[in-house]
Amino acid sequence: MSRPSKHTDPELAHKLRRRGMLGVAAGATAAALLGAGAPTAAAHGKGHGRPVLPPGRLGIQLYSLRDKVSTLGFAAVFAELEKYGYDEVEYAGYTQGSAGPITLPQLRRLTRDHGLRAIGSHVGYYNDGNPGAYTFAQNLDKVLDDAQALGLKHIGTASGPWRYGATVDGWKRCADEFNEYGAAAKARGMKFYQHNHAEEFSFATDKPAVRLYDVLLAETDPDLVYLEMDIYWAYAGQFRFSRRADGTSAPFDPLRYVLEQPDRYPLFHVKDGERDISARDGYRMVDVGDGDIDYQRFISAVTRTRGGRHDHHWQAEHDNPVESFAFARKSSAHLHSLREKDC
């Protein structure tokens, strides 16, 4: 992100500035934490310093293990995760084709019995073709009832705010709905969140100088709507959308978004990518630790914010791992190995 320029929508810039994202103090703090340099695999930070990963904050998105859940069941998967040193899980549905039927109380008990905390869950945003769909838009009360039954602190969606198109007004309408879901979740002691992919960092079709992700941040109430940054997809967005349609430069740093408003990012997806500028996204997804995203730098910077070692949760993920248990084991080992750099 950068300060407002002639390419920035004035109303949007005002809202972002008012929320502290473009303020001088926030910018100075972010710059100090960011340091210099782009993400690179050259400094993975293995050494003798304090662990980069805060204790008790390593989770995994169960979508990465859907093949094992469907064939072995949740109990066997949770037993493996316990051995690998995981603390938390994020559900991707509450059956995932599990081997045999399972109830929400059984799922909650299995999670707890294996020393794991359920930190969140992904639910669909909308399905306009099915009024009975299990989504926030069609069945908000049921979605929140189930989240409460599982003892979740966060309940969110991996669907982007595309319901009304890719215009600024369309995203404002989605932001209003997200505020509604956030208020309902807050009333039950939970936080509503949205998980990004690369396209959220693209530009509005009606105002091509405006980045849609900035609309989402500006138009949602920070006390009601939170963000789960998928770090891989954010860097893919950086690769794809650092220029506007007219060719003018529009660089941004995913880490700066977090550092300028860290309280809005309680959850992260930690997935890795090998740099490949011939690929559409600029990266090819690989197991955590095998790629070029510098997680020593990223996690260190976030955990140095106020409350940063307590307020953020890091979920390992790979959309299509070659072998999902091997991915889970390797990811945990790598992230636990990261150390703060010597001063």
Side-chain angles (χ1 to χ4, degrees):
M1 295 181 64
S2 59
R3 295 190 179 281
S5 72
K6 64 182 180 180
H7 299 291
T8 305
D9 178 85
E11 180 186 0
L12 177 64
H14 172 73
K15 290 183 178 180
L16 290 172
R17 187 183 298 108
R18 177 168 50 84
R19 291 188 173 169
M21 295 195 64
L22 299 178
V24 173
T29 301
L33 288 168
L34 276 163
T40 172
H44 278 311
K46 296 182 181 180
H48 303 291
R50 181 175 68 164
V52 167
L53 190 71
R57 289 295 184 268
L58 179 61
I60 192 165
Q61 200 345 301
L62 290 174
Y63 181 76
S64 304
L65 296 159
R66 60 195 181 277
D67 61 324
K68 304 299 187 191
V69 173
S70 66
T71 55
L72 303 176
F74 281 106
V77 169
F78 290 163
E80 290 298 306
L81 295 178
E82 186 178 17
K83 288 193 299 185
Y84 301 159
Y86 283 93
D87 309 295
E88 301 173 335
V89 294
E90 182 182 35
Y91 299 122
Y94 308 131
T95 61
Q96 287 187 256
S98 177
I102 189 168
T103 65
L104 294 183
Q106 288 172 331
L107 180 56
R108 181 174 184 173
R109 185 167 57 252
L110 277 176
T111 307
R112 182 192 61 220
D113 287 351
H114 287 91
L116 299 167
R117 292 183 301 275
I119 193 61
S121 180
H122 284 185
V123 177
Y125 166 24
Y126 69 96
N127 182 343
D128 286 340
N130 178 7
Y134 188 78
T135 65
F136 283 96
Q138 276 86 5
N139 262 300
L140 179 60
D141 287 340
K142 174 61 174 170
V143 167
L144 297 181
D145 286 346
D146 290 350
Q148 269 194 305
L150 287 164
L152 299 182
K153 298 298 184 184
H154 308 84
I155 179 69
T157 184
S159 300
W162 305 102
R163 186 178 190 181
Y164 307 109
T167 65
V168 170
D169 285 343
W171 275 52
K172 287 181 178 181
R173 290 179 66 186
C174 291
D176 288 341
E177 294 181 346
F178 282 9
N179 287 331
E180 175 190 343
Y181 309 151
K186 184 176 182 179
R188 299 188 188 216
M190 294 179 284
K191 292 179 178 179
F192 169 79
Y193 64 95
Q194 193 267 343
H195 163 285
N196 66 274
H197 293 87
E199 287 73 19
E200 279 87 337
F201 298 95
S202 63
F203 298 96
T205 54
D206 59 331
K207 295 183 178 181
V210 175
R211 194 180 304 281
L212 288 169
Y213 196 70
D214 293 339
V215 178
L216 178 66
L217 287 170
E219 298 296 333
T220 51
D221 186 330
D223 292 326
L224 300 178
V225 177
Y226 297 84
L227 292 307
E228 176 180 63
M229 179 172 280
D230 186 303
I231 300 166
Y232 171 91
W233 287 122
Y235 280 114
Q238 181 191 57
F239 176 80
R240 292 175 57 189
F241 304 114
S242 284
R243 287 192 176 275
R244 302 179 184 88
D246 64 2
T248 56
S249 179
F252 71 92
D253 185 342
L255 179 54
R256 185 177 291 276
Y257 271 110
V258 179
L259 297 183
E260 290 183 339
Q261 213 172 6
D263 291 345
R264 294 204 76 177
Y265 292 87
L267 306 175
F268 294 89
H269 275 190
V270 179
K271 63 174 67 163
D272 214 342
E274 186 175 44
R275 185 75 169 170
D276 181 355
I277 62 172
S278 70
R280 183 194 66 161
D281 295 318
Y283 294 88
R284 296 193 183 279
M285 199 176 296
V286 296
D287 289 350
V288 177
D290 289 345
D292 296 315
I293 297 177
D294 187 350
Y295 278 110
Q296 190 281 337
R297 172 179 177 263
F298 196 104
I299 299 175
S300 290
V302 175
T303 57
R304 287 198 299 270
T305 61
R306 186 179 61 182
R309 294 188 69 82
H310 306 286
D311 298 341
H312 305 283
H313 305 262
W314 306 90
Q315 319 296 310
E317 188 186 30
H318 191 310
D319 290 357
N320 293 292
V322 174
E323 209 295 313
S324 55
F325 277 157
F327 155 76
R329 183 173 59 251
K330 182 189 299 183
S331 299
S332 176
H334 175 72
L335 292 170
H336 279 114
S337 77
L338 297 179
R339 295 292 184 271
E340 296 284 359
K341 293 179 180 178
D342 296 332
C343 297

